[in-house]
Amino acid sequence: MTLELGSLVAASVAYLLLLFLVAYAAERGLIPARITQHPLVYSLALGVYATSWSYFGSVGYAARHGFRYLGIYLGVTLACLLVPVLWRPMLRLTRELQLTSLADVLAFRYPGQSTGTAVTLFVLAGSLPYLALQVRAVVESAKVLSPNASPTAIGLGFCLVLIGFSVLFGARHLTPRERHEGLMLAIAFESAVKVVALVAVGVWAVFSVFGGVDGLLAWLDAHPEAVEGLKRPARDASWAPLLVLSCAAAFLTPRSYHVAFTEAPERDALSTATWAFPLVLLVMNLVVPVVLWSGDALGLPWPADFHVLAVPASRGATGLALVAFLGGISAASAMVIVTTLAVAPMCLTHLVLPLGYARGQPHLYGWLLWARRLLIAIIILAGYGFYRLLDTRGTGLVDLGLVSFVGVAQFAPGVLGLLFWKRGTRPGLLAGLGVGAAAWAVTLVVPLWASPGVVAWTHRMAELLGFPSGEPWGFSTFASLSLNTLAFVGVSLATRQSPEEAEAARACTREAPALTSGGVVAGSPEEFRQRLAPLLGEEAAAAEVDRALAMLSLPSDERRPAELRRLRDAVERNLSGLIGPVLARLAVEEALRLEPGARMALAEQLRFVEERLRDARVMQGAPVLALEAVRRYLRHVLEDLPLGVCAVGPDGEVVIWNAALERLSGVEPGAVRGHALAALPEPWGTLLSGFASGAEGDTEARITVAGGERILRLHRSRLEGGSTSEGMALLVEDLTERKAVDARLAHQDRLASLGRVAAGVAHEIGNPLTAIASLAQNLKYELEDADAVRERVGLILQQCRRIDAIVRTLVGFSHAGTVGGEARPFTRVAVGPLLAEAVQLARLARGSRKDRGLRFEHRCREGLEVRGDAQRLEQVLVNLLTNAIDASPEGGLVELEAEADDAGVHVRVSDRGHGIPPELAQRIFEPFFTTKQPGEGTGLGLALVAGIVREHGGVMRVDSRPGGGTSVTVSLPEARQEPLSARPARGALA
């Protein structure tokens, strides 16, 4: 039974119009995003991998090679198992760097125009046989249903219709970097049509041809050669070449790469695609044996490639045959549309734009859009021309498909090197592609036209290596990929990477960028627009800079050096999606030059590492989770520190600004990160930059923040990494509250001290007042003796001077809060006269107790001198003698002697009193501690004495034995080679 060509054309056009309406409705928002971005839609769209070869040719391939036709399905399953190590890294690169094609990815990793050009030409050469296969499948399937149809009219008409629909489907957006949600929904719909059509034909064949499942089993029992015909080729030949080719084609063919990476939805869909995509292919492949056996049972005269159409047509199932034909149209049209949409921008970016036609175009977007449309038409017509050349040779569908698969597989070494081998170089990639392409052309492409004798040597070599002579693509796969890999590795090891290649390798293998300093010469987004305008036109320059600002959430007046570097990188990524990575890099390097040596700051490195750790959360590996936990813990420690932390990188720009410093300064971290210290808001810029560049050591500073004065202590730590500096960490400690508390405590302590000073005044002045009173009482009995009167008056004046010195000392103590008050210069003091005067004053102070019969002795050799203040040293000796007098029994001896050795001068005061218990020996110098009876002492004397001795650089030692007396030794530095201090005359008033 046949159909009219007009009916086929009408059904095909109506079907394509339906696809267009589906795509249009999705782009207009009539179909919600939860459907267009659903992971299952993405998985069905990946079904574009199954073209006319899978739809029609799988049956014919199974007829010749048995169950090995499942290699197409098993290879894709293997590729899906590699999603974590292959697909996800490629998807990350595509999204982050806006690389819209395989040529863009390889040109980014192996920088250079030659890389993009070579890859594009090879992709184009590898795609033409597959495009020709689709045209031929449509023409021959139409002839099965309408034998009188003109092949030329069918083929050319199909191509013209696809040109129109390709432009409407995928060339409606201004840039190829925009996702075509409508197109992906339409491609997913086409995959569903293919699956439904194949399953419908298979189910119908079981019940119509065999009469049901039991009838099929009975037929197989009667024809065991049918099952054996599928098993024998699968046992006798290798599956490896087909598995390798289908695994590579699952994500390296232009159509599969475009759907898998360029058109991937924002939400993670790869996890679903890992099982859903192979499931779609499995369902399609399960019906292949049934369709093959149905054709054999009916004895159809047509090739097995078209049993899908011939089986229902031969039994009069016109409607089902038409559905099967539309399934073939779905397979062919999806492949052609997606392939041209992937290859056309590639050709534009790497073949047309390098010629300079778009430089300075005032309407760059429109020019690029029409150039893409023209290239789509040229590519489709080139595929038709390739079909016309092959049509005269009668090459089968399978042969054309495998020719393309082997060609695409030549990119596998470069892609694997991109992801896993940082040492790969551009010369290595080009050498590998060149050698692999030559082997591919000689073993597969040339035989499509050349006579058998010309390529007979390749068949002989294949047989020598154990490959079947009837499967040239097996030998071609082995030879081309082996030579490709060897050349890639060998040349890469023999050549040196450029700095651009090394940086691209770090980006592709997800390593932190190199650490260097510097910034963009352009100082603002407005300068970015001005510098890009001569290259892109004012419209495109402004749009690209604004797009990058919006992506990074940066203000339009951004001037921070680190953020401007990020803006430059974002502009380059955006341009990469528009004109390709090579031209984008050239344009940005020309218009937005970096300062010498500038590439990446430490702040950007830390940002990169944190983003990578956040991305790694989707992985469930224990090391990654542990590393993320450590990162969060250290971040919390840093943020919760009560000290402000400002870390500065080697380039002098702020890297860390923690929460405590944010609270103290009122400046958010986002406003300072990437800024130089001097550029921070005042007063922080001046304060921190001055401290960072100043002398080593901590410092205190007073600044005004939010209308109030703050007291800060600044600490600094330089970070050294080997022989190079990695920046510094500045710690800002707010002492304002602590200083206020300390001041209140000091004030309270001073008030308490004043009480102690009052007691000390009474204690210290009591001695000279007693002496003055005794002298005055005795003076009235000695008025007739003029010499005695003068002597007594001199002693009174001397005690007045002593009272004055004591008062000054204690007033100074009350003001300064420390023993001794204001320091005075030390001079040489004669020890002998000092001892004699101290004994005399002590005797006078205790004159009322002469009846106790105490005896005093003092010994000192002539010329012994110390350095110090004579009055304060005299105060020390008087205090010690007074304590000795109070401790001595009646008729006791108080000794005062001085001696010298190499350690200094030692003055010792000894008594024969009751001594000091050992448990109290360490407390006698504490203020207000005394061993006297209540009312007899304040406990301040020894504390003041100890303070004076310390100020003179001396030490005190107390030797006491209970019941045997006490000896107090004061050791002072000896005066050497200094003039003797003049002691005031006894009769003079100081």
Side-chain angles (χ1 to χ4, degrees):
M1 180 180 179
T2 61
L3 294 173
E4 293 295 331
L5 179 60
S7 300
L8 296 179
V9 172
S12 300
V13 173
Y15 173 71
L16 292 176
L17 282 174
L18 176 62
L19 291 181
F20 176 75
L21 290 177
V22 170
Y24 183 80
E27 292 191 356
R28 286 291 182 176
L30 301 177
I31 300 177
R34 69 175 182 273
I35 295 178
T36 59
Q37 295 191 15
H38 197 279
L40 288 178
V41 171
Y42 175 68
S43 302
L44 283 172
L46 288 172
V48 73
Y49 168 85
T51 65
S52 295
W53 178 35
S54 300
Y55 187 83
F56 292 125
S58 291
V59 179
Y61 192 81
R64 295 186 296 275
H65 302 284
F67 282 122
R68 275 202 298 155
Y69 82 92
L70 290 174
I72 301 298
Y73 157 73
L74 295 176
V76 173
T77 304
L78 176 62
C80 289
L81 293 177
L82 298 176
V83 160
V85 295
L86 285 180
W87 292 46
R88 287 195 187 280
M90 292 289 288
L91 180 59
R92 175 187 59 80
L93 284 176
T94 300
R95 284 179 171 172
E96 290 183 1
L97 305 175
Q98 297 197 29
L99 305 173
T100 59
S101 68
L102 183 62
D104 288 351
V105 172
L106 293 175
F108 172 82
R109 169 57 182 87
Y110 309 98
Q113 187 59 58
S114 57
T115 302
T117 301
V119 172
T120 301
L121 290 174
F122 199 63
V123 166
L124 187 60
S127 299
L128 289 179
Y130 222 87
L131 291 173
L133 185 153
Q134 310 311 310
V135 176
R136 182 165 187 172
V138 171
V139 170
E140 295 191 2
S141 63
K143 290 182 66 177
V144 169
L145 298 180
S146 182
N148 297 324
S150 169
T152 302
I154 297 173
L156 187 58
F158 175 70
C159 291
L160 293 177
V161 171
L162 284 187
I163 289 174
F165 278 90
S166 297
V167 171
L168 291 175
F169 270 126
R172 299 175 64 245
H173 295 297
L174 292 177
T175 63
R177 65 193 169 199
E178 300 179 34
R179 187 172 184 270
H180 304 80
E181 291 188 357
L183 173 63
M184 290 301 100
L185 184 62
I187 299 302
F189 181 80
E190 287 197 300
S191 295
V193 169
K194 288 183 292 189
V195 174
V196 170
L198 270 178
V199 172
V201 171
V203 172
W204 178 87
V206 169
F207 290 95
S208 178
V209 176
F210 299 106
V213 177
D214 292 337
L216 173 60
L217 295 176
W219 186 87
L220 291 176
D221 290 339
H223 300 81
E225 70 280 0
V227 178
E228 184 62 23
L230 293 178
K231 293 181 178 179
R232 185 175 59 257
R235 292 193 303 262
D236 297 343
S238 173
W239 289 60
L242 192 58
L243 290 176
V244 171
L245 292 177
S246 57
C247 179
F251 65 98
L252 290 182
T253 56
R255 64 185 186 280
S256 295
Y257 182 94
H258 188 79
V259 173
F261 306 118
T262 306
E263 299 288 353
E266 291 298 325
R267 58 188 296 188
D268 182 29
L270 282 177
S271 298
T272 303
T274 301
W275 61 265
F277 178 31
L279 181 61
V280 170
L281 297 182
L282 176 63
V283 173
M284 293 180 64
N285 281 276
L286 285 178
V287 301
V288 169
V290 175
V291 175
L292 175 62
W293 294 329
S294 299
D296 293 343
L298 295 174
L300 298 179
W302 294 285
D305 287 338
F306 299 102
H307 278 2
V308 175
L309 298 174
V311 168
S314 65
R315 300 299 292 264
T318 307
L320 183 59
L322 186 58
V323 170
F325 177 75
L326 292 180
I329 292 293
S330 294
S333 60
M335 184 274 168
V336 173
I337 292 172
V338 178
T339 297
T340 53
L341 291 182
V343 176
M346 200 183 306
C347 293
L348 177 63
T349 299
H350 299 284
L351 299 181
V352 178
L353 291 181
L355 301 178
Y357 293 133
R359 186 182 179 92
Q361 283 283 343
H363 304 290
L364 179 63
Y365 294 136
W367 187 93
L368 292 174
L369 183 60
W370 282 103
R372 272 208 330 274
R373 291 171 176 171
L374 178 60
L375 286 170
I376 287 173
I378 293 174
I379 292 170
I380 293 177
L381 292 176
Y384 176 74
F386 201 90
Y387 153 73
R388 293 292 297 176
L389 290 175
L390 295 176
D391 186 52
T392 59
R393 299 301 306 269
T395 307
L397 296 180
V398 173
D399 296 324
L400 288 178
L402 291 175
V403 167
S404 183
F405 273 24
V406 176
V408 168
Q410 303 309 310
F411 298 116
V415 170
L416 294 177
L418 176 151
L419 296 175
F420 306 112
W421 192 42
K422 294 186 298 181
R423 186 62 183 82
T425 64
R426 181 181 60 183
L429 175 73
L430 295 178
L433 279 180
V435 173
W440 169 70
V442 169
T443 55
L444 284 183
V445 179
V446 173
L448 294 177
W449 290 282
S451 61
V454 174
V455 293
W457 65 274
T458 61
H459 297 296
R460 291 194 298 269
M461 184 174 292
E463 291 176 354
L464 289 175
L465 294 176
F467 291 95
S469 58
E471 298 180 357
W473 46 267
F475 168 68
S476 179
T477 301
F478 169 78
S480 60
L481 286 180
S482 297
L483 295 174
N484 186 340
T485 304
L486 290 174
F488 173 56
V489 174
V491 175
S492 293
L493 294 176
T495 54
R496 178 178 297 179
Q497 276 188 329
S498 65
E500 292 78 8
E501 284 181 309
E503 189 67 29
R506 280 191 288 267
C508 291
T509 54
R510 203 58 169 154
E511 290 188 2
L515 178 62
T516 54
S517 60
V520 188
V521 173
S524 68
E526 182 59 32
E527 287 190 45
F528 276 45
R529 299 183 186 96
Q530 295 173 0
R531 291 172 180 267
L532 287 169
L535 301 176
L536 307 178
E538 293 184 2
E539 176 190 10
E544 294 303 323
V545 174
D546 291 342
R547 186 192 305 273
L549 287 171
M551 287 173 54
L552 301 176
S553 300
L554 296 178
S556 58
D557 58 348
E558 181 61 66
R559 292 184 177 274
R560 287 173 290 176
E563 299 306 318
L564 290 178
R565 280 200 302 270
R566 292 182 63 211
L567 180 63
R568 179 186 186 273
D569 293 340
V571 169
E572 182 176 343
R573 288 194 296 271
N574 288 343
L575 290 179
S576 178
L578 182 67
I579 60 177
V582 176
L583 293 181
R585 181 177 297 151
L586 292 176
V588 169
E589 287 181 352
E590 178 179 345
L592 305 176
R593 291 183 296 106
L594 292 173
E595 295 175 352
R599 293 298 294 174
M600 185 66 66
L602 178 60
E604 195 63 20
Q605 270 203 330
L606 295 180
R607 191 197 312 271
F608 172 88
V609 172
E610 290 193 351
E611 288 176 354
R612 182 175 182 185
L613 286 173
R614 285 196 297 268
D615 294 341
R617 291 176 187 172
V618 299
M619 302 175 63
Q620 299 301 317
V624 173
L625 295 177
L627 182 61
E628 171 64 7
V630 171
R631 183 193 73 84
R632 289 198 305 268
Y633 176 77
L634 294 179
R635 170 62 67 179
H636 289 160
V637 169
L638 180 64
E639 290 298 327
D640 293 342
L641 279 177
L643 297 179
V645 179
C646 173
V648 181
D651 50 3
E653 296 175 357
V654 176
V655 176
I656 295 174
W657 188 272
N658 77 335
L661 195 52
E662 178 185 359
R663 291 191 297 269
L664 175 62
S665 65
V667 180
E668 296 182 354
V672 297
R673 286 195 184 117
H675 274 302
L677 283 176
L680 300 183
E682 291 298 331
W684 302 99
T686 302
L687 175 67
L688 296 181
S689 62
F691 176 64
S693 59
E696 296 293 335
D698 299 346
T699 187
E700 285 191 10
R702 293 177 179 266
I703 63 172
T704 301
V705 179
E709 186 179 67
R710 314 296 294 183
I711 304 173
L712 307 178
R713 178 178 291 278
L714 303 180
H715 312 264
R716 176 176 53 199
S717 175
R718 297 192 181 275
L719 309 176
E720 305 292 339
S723 59
T724 61
S725 173
E726 296 183 359
M728 68 176 65
L730 306 179
L731 302 182
V732 182
E733 184 180 6
D734 188 1
L735 301 180
T736 307
E737 296 300 328
R738 185 187 303 175
K739 289 286 187 180
V741 172
D742 289 347
R744 289 193 295 269
L745 291 176
H747 179 66
Q748 294 173 358
D749 185 64
R750 186 167 287 109
L751 292 177
S753 297
L754 288 177
R756 294 193 297 270
V757 167
V761 167
H763 178 276
E764 293 299 325
I765 295 179
N767 293 333
L769 284 178
T770 301
I772 292 173
S774 299
L775 292 170
Q777 291 173 3
N778 294 331
L779 186 61
K780 64 183 180 179
Y781 299 110
E782 300 174 356
L783 292 177
E784 296 179 357
D785 188 347
D787 292 336
V789 170
R790 281 193 298 271
E791 181 182 0
R792 298 297 182 183
V793 171
L795 291 174
I796 291 174
L797 292 176
Q798 182 181 3
Q799 296 306 310
C800 289
R801 287 193 298 270
R802 182 183 172 195
I803 291 174
D804 179 69
I806 292 172
V807 170
R808 288 178 181 276
T809 298
L810 296 178
V811 168
F813 167 75
S814 68
H815 286 174
T818 59
V819 177
E822 183 180 355
R824 293 180 292 183
F826 289 169
T827 58
R828 294 173 64 191
V829 177
V831 177
L834 189 68
L835 298 185
E837 190 171 289
V839 170
Q840 185 179 11
L841 289 172
R843 182 182 290 115
L844 290 172
R846 298 305 183 203
S848 61
R849 300 186 180 183
K850 288 182 180 179
D851 54 346
R852 295 176 58 198
L854 296 179
R855 293 175 292 118
F856 296 88
E857 292 183 4
H858 63 90
R859 297 182 294 276
C860 178
R861 66 176 176 83
E862 292 292 332
L864 192 60
E865 298 174 348
V866 295
R867 281 178 46 79
D869 180 355
Q871 290 183 343
R872 299 174 73 188
L873 290 177
E874 186 178 71
Q875 180 180 347
V876 169
L877 297 178
V878 170
N879 269 282
L880 295 178
L881 286 170
T882 302
N883 288 335
I885 291 172
D886 291 339
S888 296
E890 183 175 350
L893 175 65
V894 177
E895 297 178 285
L896 182 61
E897 58 181 336
E899 57 185 10
D901 58 19
D902 294 339
V905 176
H906 308 286
V907 179
R908 185 177 299 105
V909 178
S910 304
D911 63 57
R912 300 293 186 272
H914 49 70
I916 301 175
E919 62 272 14
L920 302 179
Q922 300 300 321
R923 300 189 59 194
I924 60 175
F925 295 105
E926 295 179 6
F928 302 105
F929 177 80
T930 180
T931 58
K932 299 178 181 179
Q933 296 298 319
E936 296 186 5
T938 64
L940 288 172
L942 285 179
L944 292 173
V945 166
I948 295 173
V949 172
R950 283 194 299 271
E951 289 180 1
H952 281 73
V955 294
M956 291 182 62
R957 185 178 74 253
V958 177
D959 298 316
S960 177
R961 292 173 298 173
T966 302
S967 175
V968 180
T969 303
V970 177
S971 300
L972 297 170
E974 185 177 3
R976 300 180 185 277
Q977 300 178 353
E978 292 184 9
L980 183 63
S981 63
R983 300 219 13 113
R986 288 185 180 272
L989 183 61

